[in-house]
Amino acid sequence: MNDWSAEVDQHFTRVLSSFADVPIVQAMRYATTGGKRLRAFLVRESARVCGVDVARSIAPACAIEALHAYSLVHDDLPCMDDDDLRRGQPTIHVKWDDATAVLCGDALQTLAFELVSEPSCHEDPLVRSTLALTLARASGAGGMVYGQALDIEAESAASPLTIEQITELQNGKTGALITWSATAGAVLAKADTNALKTYGDALGLAFQIADDILDVTSDAETLGKAAQKDAEAGKATFVSLLGLDGAKSRAEMLVESACDALSIYGSDADHLRDVARFVIERRS
């Protein structure tokens, strides 16, 4: 993951160097620096298990990281989660201002679609259009944005969400982009996406449960962002509804399901299995 993260960093440097060195682009560089690059690594590994040269997965890998970064920049704004810290550093609106954060997020979102639409991403225009279409669906009103809207509504709801409602919310807010990442390699290979979709769906939910667990068991210094925010806001989470042990058990079952879905790839998918285990064992 560290090696691939360096490749992603280098590609972002090349791409962003084509823009003027103005505050918005400086903020884009800042927002796309750091992080685990989990989504980018899923693109790489899904491509590899489908027989695609991993070097050819760099464009969609950077695209999903750009789109994820945009979502974080906007999510941190005062009108959303109002966070001052991200990846251990001041958030964009704190380091610059609200307007720069909004425009930075807008630019990162459009950059994501530019990256998967350029001929250098794939020689087949149908593959490029499929990547763009599925990314739009995963990130828009039927995916991530829908989940974010449900999350905001939950803050003022008369009663806490049920486990089914939280699952629906998180499948959109967190899971949709993770599933896209896990299936992108199959799209590049023009292969069936079903097994990788099953893997991605389970992994995305396990990732969010792990986040809920870390929110109550870790601290801001370790996480690089505010901790205990859900409890302070009185929000229902997997931990508040299932208990800490129940949430851990649910995450472990989801990881097992994710790994089982990869059986058709044999040992070639061991890195994807390792990623699934890493998701619930991470400390930040």
Side-chain angles (χ1 to χ4, degrees):
M1 286 181 72
N2 288 337
D3 291 343
W4 186 239
S5 180
E7 294 281 346
V8 170
D9 289 344
Q10 291 170 17
H11 195 71
F12 269 129
T13 298
R14 289 192 293 271
V15 169
L16 294 176
S17 67
S18 65
F19 298 108
D21 188 24
V22 294
I24 292 170
V25 178
Q26 293 165 8
M28 291 169 72
R29 293 192 188 100
Y30 185 87
T32 53
T33 299
K36 292 176 283 294
R37 303 293 195 203
L38 171 69
R39 293 157 189 79
F41 192 68
L42 289 173
V43 174
R44 177 194 192 277
E45 285 302 303
S46 67
R48 189 181 61 78
V49 299
C50 291
V52 176
D53 184 345
V54 296
R56 301 189 65 191
S57 66
I58 191 66
C62 285
I64 194 62
E65 288 294 330
L67 200 135
H68 177 55
Y70 126 72
S71 75
L72 299 180
V73 171
H74 280 191
D75 202 40
D76 289 337
L77 283 165
C79 63
M80 297 277 281
D81 276 2
D82 193 14
D83 278 316
D84 295 338
L85 197 66
R86 173 68 64 180
R87 295 171 176 168
Q89 300 294 327
T91 49
I92 299 291
H93 70 276
V94 171
K95 188 172 177 64
W96 281 274
D97 51 48
D98 288 8
T100 300
V102 170
L103 293 173
C104 170
D106 292 344
L108 286 169
Q109 182 190 47
T110 54
L111 176 63
F113 291 98
E114 181 180 342
L115 287 168
V116 295
S117 300
E118 286 184 339
S120 58
C121 175
H122 198 283
E123 68 277 2
D124 188 341
L126 181 58
V127 169
R128 301 197 302 270
S129 64
T130 300
L131 288 170
L133 175 62
T134 53
L135 185 57
R137 288 174 174 167
S139 59
M144 180 190 69
V145 171
Y146 173 62
Q148 288 176 319
L150 292 178
D151 197 27
I152 291 172
E153 290 175 7
E155 292 179 2
S156 57
S159 58
L161 299 184
T162 64
I163 193 69
E164 291 77 18
Q165 290 172 319
I166 293 175
T167 299
E168 179 186 13
L169 184 162
Q170 299 299 353
N171 279 339
K173 184 178 180 181
T174 302
L177 294 189
I178 287 179
T179 297
W180 186 90
S181 306
T183 57
V187 174
L188 288 171
K190 304 180 185 180
D192 185 84
T193 61
N194 286 334
L196 288 168
K197 182 181 184 306
T198 300
Y199 167 83
D201 288 346
L203 180 65
L205 200 54
F207 183 95
Q208 184 55 50
I209 294 174
D211 257 12
D212 287 354
I213 292 169
L214 288 171
D215 188 65
V216 300
T217 61
S218 193
D219 53 56
E221 183 177 356
T222 303
L223 293 177
K225 60 181 181 179
Q228 285 85 49
K229 285 198 69 175
D230 291 339
E232 291 171 6
K235 291 170 63 174
T237 66
F238 288 104
V239 173
S240 68
L241 292 181
L242 299 176
L244 190 57
D245 288 342
K248 288 179 179 179
S249 178
R250 178 71 64 93
E252 289 167 359
M253 287 190 294
L254 285 164
V255 165
E256 185 175 341
S257 296
C259 292
D260 287 346
L262 300 172
S263 60
I264 64 170
Y265 301 110
S267 61
D268 284 345
D270 281 349
H271 285 171
L272 288 172
R273 295 184 182 93
D274 289 342
V275 165
R277 298 182 186 102
F278 162 76
V279 157
I280 62 169
E281 293 170 358
R282 61 196 168 93
R283 294 294 177 264
S284 64

